[in-house]
Amino acid sequence: MDASLTPEQDEIRRTLRELLHSRCGPHELRAAVDTPAGHDPALWTALAEQLGLPGLALPENYGGVGCSATELALACEETGRVLAPSPLLATAVLAAPLIAALGTEAQRTALLPRLASGTLTATLAVPGPALTTALALTGDNGGDWAGGGRAGGVQARRTEGGWRLYGQVDQVLDGHSAGLLVVAAHAGGFARSRTLLFLLAGDAAGAVRVRQTALDATRPQARLQLRDVEAELLGEEGADVLGVLAGVGQVAAAVLACEAVGAADRVLERTVQYVKQREQFGRPIGSFQAVKHRLADVYVAVQAARSAAYYASWAATPSRGAGGVDMRLRRLGATSHDGAAAARQPIAAPPAERLALAQALEALRTASAEGIQFHGGIGFTWEHEAHLYFKRAAGDELLFGPVHRLRAHAADAARLFDAQEVAV
């Protein structure tokens, strides 16, 4: 395993960091989150047209750049450093891989080039607080998390003209502004219940979208209400939806881990700069041994999380350690030879990605908390951006964690605590 970055990967990071430094400073960030869309459309256009970020990990024959999950994760590490509010996570990490893996050729041809160019944004709508379950991050995704009937969620009903959806989803990332919604719904009733994914235009008749107040304003969320809305089935009915969702969860965990590492590294960097300048008792507080020790602990945590995140993104890359997630997703998206029996077998993401995400979220939480503490009185003010990083740490753990559940599921998947014979 070669742990060094390629010249192309270094160039992606350098170019993206320069662009974000000039167009996504603290003032631009606050202005963007207060807009109706929750992000700066001009910045999104620049990320798409100048760097091809939305299509970074999409195949070239569908308008993408043809890079791997590693390059996408490295790009998200840079967006995480500045907490850049954009539809990148929802579009490129959650929705586009599902369409690429499950969609018919007509659906891929119609949608993926528009997603890759940034002219169309998309998101994944999963009922209730079940996004982490659907992606198999904190547990197997074979349950009735999609809801339906009295369980709430979204119910899919077949009609002569296609499918109709009815229900509500409360936490949809960028759901108020996305042009395309990939909605998980329960279909088939109790006897033949199954989870399917549907494509739905953001402005479809009968769909009501309301932006919600989120803990982390840089990750806007919306409530989606569906009132007998016409929708298009994504792919074929026999596809292994649960397996594909788990595969997407593997890549998403690696990308989110790198994003959290970028945010944690930026917090640490700013804290170190501040303690070198702030004086107490006639000397910089950074010269005190207790401060040095605490920041050294944060540095070790961030570097360890970066190593884990880089390995997770490397393992999720085609033809490498994990076997290639793109090919695996394409295989899982095909109709199973075993029919419905095989479709009911959830495939959980390997433990490496979940452990990397847990470690990165913990490092970000520690770094942001220490950053607030060392900034003293100003660190607790609304005007300072330290609280934005702390809210990102807390918000991500609510959406994709918590940390202890990520680790517990990884331990279960690895059968770490199964009873074994012990030599005496």
Side-chain angles (χ1 to χ4, degrees), residues 299-365:
Y299 175 80
V300 171
V302 172
Q303 294 304 316
R306 173 177 279 117
S307 296
Y310 282 5
Y311 174 77
S313 65
W314 177 87
T317 300
S319 73
R320 290 184 181 171
V325 69
D326 288 352
M327 292 184 290
R328 181 163 58 254
L329 287 179
R330 190 64 63 85
R331 184 180 71 248
L332 292 172
T335 302
S336 172
H337 294 293
D338 296 331
R344 287 194 296 268
Q345 297 295 328
I347 301 177
E353 288 75 21
R354 292 192 292 270
L355 290 174
L357 178 57
Q359 191 166 0
L361 291 178
E362 191 171 57
L364 175 55
R365 183 176 59 192

Short mmCIF file of all heavy atoms in Angstrom, two decimals, residues 299-365:
data_model
loop_
_atom_site.label_atom_id
_atom_site.label_comp_id
_atom_site.label_asym_id
_atom_site.label_seq_id
_atom_site.Cartn_x
_atom_site.Cartn_y
_atom_site.Cartn_z
N TYR A 299 -3.80 17.17 18.52
CA TYR A 299 -3.03 16.92 17.30
C TYR A 299 -2.92 15.42 17.01
O TYR A 299 -3.10 14.98 15.87
CB TYR A 299 -1.64 17.54 17.43
CG TYR A 299 -0.72 17.24 16.27
CD1 TYR A 299 -0.83 17.95 15.07
CD2 TYR A 299 0.24 16.23 16.35
CE1 TYR A 299 0.01 17.68 14.01
CE2 TYR A 299 1.07 15.94 15.29
CZ TYR A 299 0.95 16.67 14.11
OH TYR A 299 1.77 16.38 13.05
N VAL A 300 -2.62 14.65 18.04
CA VAL A 300 -2.51 13.20 17.87
C VAL A 300 -3.85 12.62 17.42
O VAL A 300 -3.91 11.75 16.53
CB VAL A 300 -2.04 12.54 19.18
CG1 VAL A 300 -2.14 11.03 19.09
CG2 VAL A 300 -0.61 12.96 19.49
N ALA A 301 -4.94 13.10 18.02
CA ALA A 301 -6.27 12.59 17.66
C ALA A 301 -6.60 12.92 16.20
O ALA A 301 -7.15 12.08 15.47
CB ALA A 301 -7.33 13.17 18.59
N VAL A 302 -6.28 14.13 15.76
CA VAL A 302 -6.57 14.53 14.39
C VAL A 302 -5.73 13.73 13.40
O VAL A 302 -6.23 13.26 12.36
CB VAL A 302 -6.34 16.04 14.21
CG1 VAL A 302 -6.46 16.44 12.74
CG2 VAL A 302 -7.35 16.83 15.04
N GLN A 303 -4.46 13.55 13.68
CA GLN A 303 -3.60 12.81 12.77
C GLN A 303 -4.00 11.32 12.69
O GLN A 303 -3.95 10.72 11.61
CB GLN A 303 -2.13 12.94 13.19
CG GLN A 303 -1.58 14.35 13.07
CD GLN A 303 -1.72 14.89 11.65
OE1 GLN A 303 -1.45 14.19 10.67
NE2 GLN A 303 -2.15 16.14 11.55
N ALA A 304 -4.37 10.76 13.83
CA ALA A 304 -4.83 9.36 13.81
C ALA A 304 -6.13 9.23 13.02
O ALA A 304 -6.32 8.27 12.25
CB ALA A 304 -5.03 8.87 15.25
N ALA A 305 -7.03 10.21 13.18
CA ALA A 305 -8.29 10.18 12.43
C ALA A 305 -8.03 10.36 10.94
O ALA A 305 -8.70 9.73 10.11
CB ALA A 305 -9.21 11.29 12.94
N ARG A 306 -7.04 11.20 10.58
CA ARG A 306 -6.72 11.37 9.16
C ARG A 306 -6.19 10.05 8.56
O ARG A 306 -6.57 9.68 7.44
CB ARG A 306 -5.68 12.48 9.00
CG ARG A 306 -5.18 12.60 7.57
CD ARG A 306 -4.22 13.75 7.37
NE ARG A 306 -4.94 15.00 7.22
CZ ARG A 306 -4.85 16.01 8.06
NH1 ARG A 306 -4.06 15.92 9.12
NH2 ARG A 306 -5.53 17.12 7.85
N SER A 307 -5.34 9.37 9.28
CA SER A 307 -4.82 8.09 8.78
C SER A 307 -5.96 7.09 8.56
O SER A 307 -6.00 6.40 7.53
CB SER A 307 -3.80 7.52 9.77
OG SER A 307 -2.68 8.37 9.88
N ALA A 308 -6.87 7.02 9.52
CA ALA A 308 -8.01 6.10 9.40
C ALA A 308 -8.91 6.50 8.24
O ALA A 308 -9.40 5.65 7.48
CB ALA A 308 -8.80 6.06 10.71
N ALA A 309 -9.14 7.80 8.07
CA ALA A 309 -10.02 8.28 7.00
C ALA A 309 -9.40 8.03 5.63
O ALA A 309 -10.09 7.62 4.69
CB ALA A 309 -10.30 9.77 7.19
N TYR A 310 -8.09 8.25 5.51
CA TYR A 310 -7.43 8.00 4.23
C TYR A 310 -7.46 6.52 3.89
O TYR A 310 -7.67 6.13 2.73
CB TYR A 310 -5.97 8.49 4.28
CG TYR A 310 -5.81 9.98 4.13
CD1 TYR A 310 -6.92 10.82 4.06
CD2 TYR A 310 -4.55 10.55 4.05
CE1 TYR A 310 -6.77 12.18 3.92
CE2 TYR A 310 -4.39 11.93 3.91
CZ TYR A 310 -5.51 12.74 3.85
OH TYR A 310 -5.35 14.09 3.71
N TYR A 311 -7.27 5.67 4.89
CA TYR A 311 -7.33 4.24 4.61
C TYR A 311 -8.74 3.84 4.19
O TYR A 311 -8.91 3.02 3.27
CB TYR A 311 -6.91 3.43 5.84
CG TYR A 311 -7.11 1.94 5.61
CD1 TYR A 311 -6.20 1.22 4.84
CD2 TYR A 311 -8.22 1.27 6.12
CE1 TYR A 311 -6.39 -0.13 4.59
CE2 TYR A 311 -8.41 -0.07 5.88
CZ TYR A 311 -7.50 -0.77 5.12
OH TYR A 311 -7.69 -2.10 4.87
N ALA A 312 -9.74 4.40 4.85
CA ALA A 312 -11.12 4.07 4.49
C ALA A 312 -11.44 4.48 3.06
O ALA A 312 -12.07 3.72 2.31
CB ALA A 312 -12.09 4.74 5.47
N SER A 313 -10.99 5.67 2.66
CA SER A 313 -11.23 6.11 1.29
C SER A 313 -10.43 5.27 0.30
O SER A 313 -10.89 4.99 -0.82
CB SER A 313 -10.88 7.59 1.13
OG SER A 313 -9.49 7.80 1.33
N TRP A 314 -9.23 4.87 0.67
CA TRP A 314 -8.43 3.98 -0.18
C TRP A 314 -9.11 2.62 -0.33
O TRP A 314 -9.16 2.05 -1.43
CB TRP A 314 -7.05 3.83 0.44
CG TRP A 314 -6.12 2.89 -0.30
CD1 TRP A 314 -5.31 3.21 -1.33
CD2 TRP A 314 -5.92 1.50 -0.02
NE1 TRP A 314 -4.61 2.09 -1.74
CE2 TRP A 314 -4.97 1.03 -0.95
CE3 TRP A 314 -6.45 0.62 0.92
CZ2 TRP A 314 -4.55 -0.28 -0.97
CZ3 TRP A 314 -6.03 -0.70 0.90
CH2 TRP A 314 -5.08 -1.14 -0.03
N ALA A 315 -9.66 2.10 0.76
CA ALA A 315 -10.32 0.79 0.71
C ALA A 315 -11.60 0.82 -0.10
O ALA A 315 -12.03 -0.20 -0.62
CB ALA A 315 -10.62 0.30 2.13
N ALA A 316 -12.23 1.99 -0.22
CA ALA A 316 -13.47 2.11 -0.97
C ALA A 316 -13.24 2.39 -2.45
O ALA A 316 -14.19 2.61 -3.19
CB ALA A 316 -14.34 3.22 -0.37
N THR A 317 -11.98 2.38 -2.87
CA THR A 317 -11.64 2.69 -4.25
C THR A 317 -11.60 1.43 -5.10
O THR A 317 -11.12 0.40 -4.64
CB THR A 317 -10.27 3.40 -4.30
OG1 THR A 317 -10.34 4.60 -3.54
CG2 THR A 317 -9.87 3.73 -5.73
N PRO A 318 -12.11 1.45 -6.34
CA PRO A 318 -12.11 0.27 -7.20
C PRO A 318 -10.74 -0.35 -7.35
O PRO A 318 -9.72 0.35 -7.38
CB PRO A 318 -12.61 0.82 -8.53
CG PRO A 318 -13.41 2.03 -8.17
CD PRO A 318 -12.73 2.61 -6.97
N SER A 319 -10.71 -1.66 -7.42
CA SER A 319 -9.52 -2.49 -7.66
C SER A 319 -8.50 -2.39 -6.55
O SER A 319 -7.34 -2.70 -6.75
CB SER A 319 -8.86 -2.12 -8.99
OG SER A 319 -8.19 -0.88 -8.91
N ARG A 320 -8.95 -1.94 -5.33
CA ARG A 320 -8.01 -1.87 -4.22
C ARG A 320 -8.49 -2.77 -3.10
O ARG A 320 -9.23 -3.72 -3.32
CB ARG A 320 -7.86 -0.42 -3.76
CG ARG A 320 -7.11 0.43 -4.78
CD ARG A 320 -6.88 1.82 -4.26
NE ARG A 320 -6.18 2.62 -5.26
CZ ARG A 320 -5.99 3.91 -5.17
NH1 ARG A 320 -6.43 4.57 -4.13
NH2 ARG A 320 -5.35 4.55 -6.12
N GLY A 321 -8.10 -2.42 -1.87
CA GLY A 321 -8.27 -3.32 -0.75
C GLY A 321 -9.65 -3.87 -0.54
O GLY A 321 -9.82 -5.00 -0.17
N ALA A 322 -10.70 -3.06 -0.73
CA ALA A 322 -12.05 -3.53 -0.45
C ALA A 322 -12.68 -4.23 -1.64
O ALA A 322 -13.82 -4.65 -1.58
CB ALA A 322 -12.93 -2.36 -0.02
N GLY A 323 -11.97 -4.33 -2.75
CA GLY A 323 -12.52 -5.04 -3.88
C GLY A 323 -13.20 -4.14 -4.90
O GLY A 323 -13.64 -4.61 -5.93
N GLY A 324 -13.29 -2.84 -4.65
CA GLY A 324 -13.86 -1.94 -5.64
C GLY A 324 -15.32 -1.70 -5.42
O GLY A 324 -16.17 -2.50 -5.80
N VAL A 325 -15.67 -0.57 -4.84
CA VAL A 325 -17.06 -0.33 -4.50
C VAL A 325 -17.89 -0.05 -5.75
O VAL A 325 -19.06 -0.42 -5.80
CB VAL A 325 -17.18 0.83 -3.50
CG1 VAL A 325 -16.81 2.16 -4.14
CG2 VAL A 325 -18.57 0.90 -2.92
N ASP A 326 -17.31 0.59 -6.78
CA ASP A 326 -18.09 0.89 -7.96
C ASP A 326 -18.58 -0.39 -8.63
O ASP A 326 -19.74 -0.52 -8.99
CB ASP A 326 -17.27 1.70 -8.96
CG ASP A 326 -17.06 3.13 -8.48
OD1 ASP A 326 -17.69 3.48 -7.46
OD2 ASP A 326 -16.30 3.87 -9.11
N MET A 327 -17.67 -1.36 -8.80
CA MET A 327 -18.07 -2.62 -9.42
C MET A 327 -19.02 -3.38 -8.51
O MET A 327 -19.95 -4.04 -8.97
CB MET A 327 -16.83 -3.46 -9.73
CG MET A 327 -15.96 -2.87 -10.84
SD MET A 327 -14.58 -3.93 -11.27
CE MET A 327 -13.57 -3.76 -9.81
N ARG A 328 -18.80 -3.29 -7.20
CA ARG A 328 -19.67 -3.98 -6.26
C ARG A 328 -21.08 -3.39 -6.29
O ARG A 328 -22.07 -4.09 -6.29
CB ARG A 328 -19.08 -3.90 -4.85
CG ARG A 328 -19.93 -4.62 -3.83
CD ARG A 328 -19.16 -4.88 -2.55
NE ARG A 328 -18.65 -3.68 -1.94
CZ ARG A 328 -17.37 -3.33 -1.95
NH1 ARG A 328 -16.48 -4.07 -2.57
NH2 ARG A 328 -16.97 -2.23 -1.36
N LEU A 329 -21.17 -2.06 -6.36
CA LEU A 329 -22.47 -1.42 -6.43
C LEU A 329 -23.19 -1.81 -7.71
O LEU A 329 -24.39 -2.07 -7.71
CB LEU A 329 -22.32 0.10 -6.38
CG LEU A 329 -21.95 0.70 -5.03
CD1 LEU A 329 -21.81 2.21 -5.17
CD2 LEU A 329 -22.98 0.38 -3.97
N ARG A 330 -22.44 -1.83 -8.82
CA ARG A 330 -23.06 -2.21 -10.08
C ARG A 330 -23.57 -3.65 -10.01
O ARG A 330 -24.63 -3.98 -10.52
CB ARG A 330 -22.06 -2.04 -11.22
CG ARG A 330 -22.66 -2.17 -12.61
CD ARG A 330 -23.66 -1.06 -12.85
NE ARG A 330 -23.03 0.24 -12.83
CZ ARG A 330 -22.44 0.80 -13.87
NH1 ARG A 330 -22.37 0.18 -15.01
NH2 ARG A 330 -21.92 2.02 -13.77
N ARG A 331 -22.78 -4.53 -9.35
CA ARG A 331 -23.20 -5.91 -9.22
C ARG A 331 -24.43 -6.03 -8.33
O ARG A 331 -25.36 -6.75 -8.64
CB ARG A 331 -22.06 -6.75 -8.65
CG ARG A 331 -22.40 -8.25 -8.59
CD ARG A 331 -21.24 -9.05 -8.01
NE ARG A 331 -21.05 -8.83 -6.60
CZ ARG A 331 -20.02 -8.22 -6.07
NH1 ARG A 331 -19.08 -7.72 -6.84
NH2 ARG A 331 -19.92 -8.07 -4.77
N LEU A 332 -24.44 -5.31 -7.23
CA LEU A 332 -25.58 -5.38 -6.33
C LEU A 332 -26.83 -4.79 -6.97
O LEU A 332 -27.94 -5.18 -6.65
CB LEU A 332 -25.26 -4.62 -5.03
CG LEU A 332 -24.20 -5.25 -4.16
CD1 LEU A 332 -23.85 -4.31 -3.02
CD2 LEU A 332 -24.66 -6.59 -3.60
N GLY A 333 -26.65 -3.82 -7.87
CA GLY A 333 -27.81 -3.21 -8.51
C GLY A 333 -28.46 -4.12 -9.52
O GLY A 333 -29.62 -3.91 -9.90
N ALA A 334 -27.76 -5.15 -9.99
CA ALA A 334 -28.36 -6.07 -10.95
C ALA A 334 -29.39 -6.95 -10.27
O ALA A 334 -29.37 -7.17 -9.07
CB ALA A 334 -27.26 -6.92 -11.58
N THR A 335 -30.30 -7.48 -11.06
CA THR A 335 -31.33 -8.36 -10.52
C THR A 335 -30.70 -9.63 -9.98
O THR A 335 -29.88 -10.27 -10.63
CB THR A 335 -32.34 -8.72 -11.62
OG1 THR A 335 -32.89 -7.50 -12.12
CG2 THR A 335 -33.44 -9.59 -11.08
N SER A 336 -31.08 -10.02 -8.79
CA SER A 336 -30.49 -11.19 -8.15
C SER A 336 -31.01 -12.48 -8.77
O SER A 336 -32.19 -12.59 -9.11
CB SER A 336 -30.82 -11.16 -6.65
OG SER A 336 -30.41 -12.37 -6.06
N HIS A 337 -30.12 -13.47 -8.92
CA HIS A 337 -30.55 -14.76 -9.44
C HIS A 337 -31.42 -15.49 -8.44
O HIS A 337 -32.21 -16.36 -8.79
CB HIS A 337 -29.33 -15.61 -9.80
CG HIS A 337 -28.53 -15.05 -10.92
ND1 HIS A 337 -29.00 -14.96 -12.20
CD2 HIS A 337 -27.29 -14.50 -10.94
CE1 HIS A 337 -28.08 -14.43 -12.99
NE2 HIS A 337 -27.03 -14.13 -12.24
N ASP A 338 -31.27 -15.16 -7.16
CA ASP A 338 -32.06 -15.82 -6.13
C ASP A 338 -33.38 -15.10 -5.84
O ASP A 338 -34.08 -15.44 -4.91
CB ASP A 338 -31.26 -15.92 -4.82
CG ASP A 338 -30.04 -16.81 -5.01
OD1 ASP A 338 -30.11 -17.72 -5.86
OD2 ASP A 338 -29.05 -16.57 -4.32
N GLY A 339 -33.69 -14.06 -6.62
CA GLY A 339 -34.96 -13.38 -6.46
C GLY A 339 -35.07 -12.65 -5.15
O GLY A 339 -34.12 -12.10 -4.63
N ALA A 340 -36.29 -12.66 -4.60
CA ALA A 340 -36.57 -11.89 -3.38
C ALA A 340 -35.78 -12.37 -2.19
O ALA A 340 -35.45 -11.61 -1.30
CB ALA A 340 -38.07 -11.95 -3.07
N ALA A 341 -35.44 -13.66 -2.15
CA ALA A 341 -34.70 -14.19 -1.00
C ALA A 341 -33.34 -13.51 -0.89
O ALA A 341 -32.91 -13.14 0.19
CB ALA A 341 -34.53 -15.70 -1.14
N ALA A 342 -32.66 -13.33 -2.04
CA ALA A 342 -31.36 -12.68 -2.01
C ALA A 342 -31.49 -11.20 -1.70
O ALA A 342 -30.64 -10.61 -1.05
CB ALA A 342 -30.64 -12.87 -3.35
N ALA A 343 -32.58 -10.59 -2.17
CA ALA A 343 -32.77 -9.16 -1.94
C ALA A 343 -32.99 -8.84 -0.47
O ALA A 343 -32.82 -7.71 -0.05
CB ALA A 343 -33.95 -8.65 -2.76
N ARG A 344 -33.37 -9.84 0.30
CA ARG A 344 -33.61 -9.60 1.71
C ARG A 344 -32.34 -9.71 2.54
O ARG A 344 -32.37 -9.54 3.75
CB ARG A 344 -34.66 -10.58 2.26
CG ARG A 344 -36.07 -10.30 1.80
CD ARG A 344 -37.07 -11.09 2.63
NE ARG A 344 -36.91 -12.53 2.46
CZ ARG A 344 -37.57 -13.26 1.56
NH1 ARG A 344 -38.41 -12.67 0.75
NH2 ARG A 344 -37.38 -14.55 1.48
N GLN A 345 -31.22 -10.03 1.91
CA GLN A 345 -29.96 -10.17 2.63
C GLN A 345 -29.22 -8.85 2.64
O GLN A 345 -28.60 -8.47 1.64
CB GLN A 345 -29.10 -11.27 1.97
CG GLN A 345 -29.73 -12.64 2.00
CD GLN A 345 -29.88 -13.18 3.41
OE1 GLN A 345 -29.07 -12.87 4.27
NE2 GLN A 345 -30.92 -13.95 3.67
N PRO A 346 -29.26 -8.08 3.74
CA PRO A 346 -28.54 -6.81 3.78
C PRO A 346 -27.03 -7.03 3.82
O PRO A 346 -26.56 -7.97 4.44
CB PRO A 346 -29.03 -6.16 5.06
CG PRO A 346 -29.42 -7.32 5.93
CD PRO A 346 -29.94 -8.39 5.00
N ILE A 347 -26.33 -6.19 3.11
CA ILE A 347 -24.87 -6.28 3.08
C ILE A 347 -24.31 -5.06 3.79
O ILE A 347 -24.42 -3.94 3.30
CB ILE A 347 -24.36 -6.36 1.62
CG1 ILE A 347 -24.96 -7.58 0.93
CG2 ILE A 347 -22.84 -6.40 1.59
CD1 ILE A 347 -24.58 -7.70 -0.51
N ALA A 348 -23.75 -5.24 4.94
CA ALA A 348 -23.25 -4.12 5.73
C ALA A 348 -21.89 -3.68 5.22
O ALA A 348 -21.12 -4.46 4.67
CB ALA A 348 -23.16 -4.52 7.20
N ALA A 349 -21.61 -2.39 5.40
CA ALA A 349 -20.30 -1.86 5.03
C ALA A 349 -19.23 -2.48 5.92
O ALA A 349 -19.48 -2.78 7.08
CB ALA A 349 -20.30 -0.35 5.18
N PRO A 350 -18.02 -2.71 5.37
CA PRO A 350 -16.94 -3.25 6.19
C PRO A 350 -16.67 -2.35 7.39
O PRO A 350 -16.89 -1.14 7.33
CB PRO A 350 -15.75 -3.26 5.21
CG PRO A 350 -16.36 -3.29 3.87
CD PRO A 350 -17.63 -2.51 3.98
N PRO A 351 -16.15 -2.90 8.47
CA PRO A 351 -15.95 -2.11 9.69
C PRO A 351 -15.00 -0.93 9.51
O PRO A 351 -15.11 0.05 10.23
CB PRO A 351 -15.38 -3.14 10.67
CG PRO A 351 -15.84 -4.46 10.18
CD PRO A 351 -15.87 -4.33 8.69
N ALA A 352 -14.04 -0.99 8.58
CA ALA A 352 -13.03 0.07 8.47
C ALA A 352 -13.65 1.43 8.27
O ALA A 352 -13.24 2.43 8.89
CB ALA A 352 -12.07 -0.24 7.31
N GLU A 353 -14.66 1.55 7.42
CA GLU A 353 -15.28 2.84 7.14
C GLU A 353 -16.04 3.37 8.35
O GLU A 353 -15.98 4.57 8.65
CB GLU A 353 -16.22 2.73 5.93
CG GLU A 353 -15.52 2.55 4.60
CD GLU A 353 -14.95 1.16 4.39
OE1 GLU A 353 -15.42 0.21 5.07
OE2 GLU A 353 -14.04 1.00 3.56
N ARG A 354 -16.75 2.49 9.03
CA ARG A 354 -17.51 2.95 10.20
C ARG A 354 -16.56 3.36 11.32
O ARG A 354 -16.80 4.35 12.03
CB ARG A 354 -18.46 1.83 10.66
CG ARG A 354 -19.58 1.56 9.68
CD ARG A 354 -20.64 0.68 10.31
NE ARG A 354 -20.17 -0.66 10.58
CZ ARG A 354 -20.26 -1.68 9.73
NH1 ARG A 354 -20.78 -1.48 8.54
NH2 ARG A 354 -19.83 -2.88 10.05
N LEU A 355 -15.49 2.61 11.51
CA LEU A 355 -14.52 2.97 12.54
C LEU A 355 -13.82 4.29 12.20
O LEU A 355 -13.55 5.12 13.09
CB LEU A 355 -13.49 1.86 12.71
CG LEU A 355 -14.01 0.56 13.34
CD1 LEU A 355 -12.94 -0.51 13.32
CD2 LEU A 355 -14.48 0.81 14.76
N ALA A 356 -13.51 4.49 10.93
CA ALA A 356 -12.88 5.75 10.53
C ALA A 356 -13.82 6.92 10.77
O ALA A 356 -13.40 7.99 11.24
CB ALA A 356 -12.48 5.68 9.06
N LEU A 357 -15.10 6.75 10.45
CA LEU A 357 -16.07 7.81 10.68
C LEU A 357 -16.21 8.10 12.16
O LEU A 357 -16.24 9.27 12.58
CB LEU A 357 -17.42 7.42 10.08
CG LEU A 357 -18.56 8.42 10.29
CD1 LEU A 357 -18.19 9.79 9.73
CD2 LEU A 357 -19.84 7.91 9.63
N ALA A 358 -16.27 7.06 12.98
CA ALA A 358 -16.37 7.26 14.43
C ALA A 358 -15.16 8.01 14.97
O ALA A 358 -15.30 8.94 15.77
CB ALA A 358 -16.51 5.90 15.13
N GLN A 359 -13.97 7.63 14.51
CA GLN A 359 -12.75 8.28 15.00
C GLN A 359 -12.69 9.74 14.55
O GLN A 359 -12.27 10.62 15.31
CB GLN A 359 -11.53 7.52 14.51
CG GLN A 359 -10.23 7.95 15.16
CD GLN A 359 -9.10 6.95 14.90
OE1 GLN A 359 -9.29 5.94 14.23
NE2 GLN A 359 -7.92 7.23 15.44
N ALA A 360 -13.12 10.01 13.31
CA ALA A 360 -13.07 11.38 12.80
C ALA A 360 -14.09 12.27 13.51
O ALA A 360 -13.79 13.42 13.84
CB ALA A 360 -13.32 11.37 11.30
N LEU A 361 -15.29 11.75 13.74
CA LEU A 361 -16.30 12.54 14.45
C LEU A 361 -15.85 12.84 15.88
O LEU A 361 -16.07 13.95 16.39
CB LEU A 361 -17.63 11.79 14.46
CG LEU A 361 -18.35 11.66 13.12
CD1 LEU A 361 -19.64 10.85 13.28
CD2 LEU A 361 -18.67 13.03 12.53
N GLU A 362 -15.23 11.87 16.50
CA GLU A 362 -14.73 12.09 17.86
C GLU A 362 -13.60 13.13 17.87
O GLU A 362 -13.54 13.99 18.77
CB GLU A 362 -14.25 10.77 18.45
CG GLU A 362 -13.95 10.83 19.94
CD GLU A 362 -13.69 9.45 20.51
OE1 GLU A 362 -12.77 8.76 20.01
OE2 GLU A 362 -14.41 9.05 21.44
N ALA A 363 -12.71 13.07 16.89
CA ALA A 363 -11.63 14.04 16.80
C ALA A 363 -12.16 15.44 16.57
O ALA A 363 -11.67 16.42 17.16
CB ALA A 363 -10.66 13.65 15.69
N LEU A 364 -13.19 15.57 15.71
CA LEU A 364 -13.77 16.89 15.46
C LEU A 364 -14.45 17.43 16.70
O LEU A 364 -14.33 18.62 17.01
CB LEU A 364 -14.76 16.79 14.29
CG LEU A 364 -15.54 18.07 13.98
CD1 LEU A 364 -14.61 19.24 13.71
CD2 LEU A 364 -16.47 17.84 12.78
N ARG A 365 -15.16 16.57 17.41
CA ARG A 365 -15.82 17.01 18.63
C ARG A 365 -14.79 17.49 19.65
O ARG A 365 -14.97 18.54 20.29
CB ARG A 365 -16.65 15.87 19.21
CG ARG A 365 -17.45 16.25 20.46
CD ARG A 365 -18.31 15.08 20.88
NE ARG A 365 -17.51 13.90 21.17
CZ ARG A 365 -18.01 12.68 21.34
NH1 ARG A 365 -19.31 12.47 21.21
NH2 ARG A 365 -17.21 11.67 21.62
#
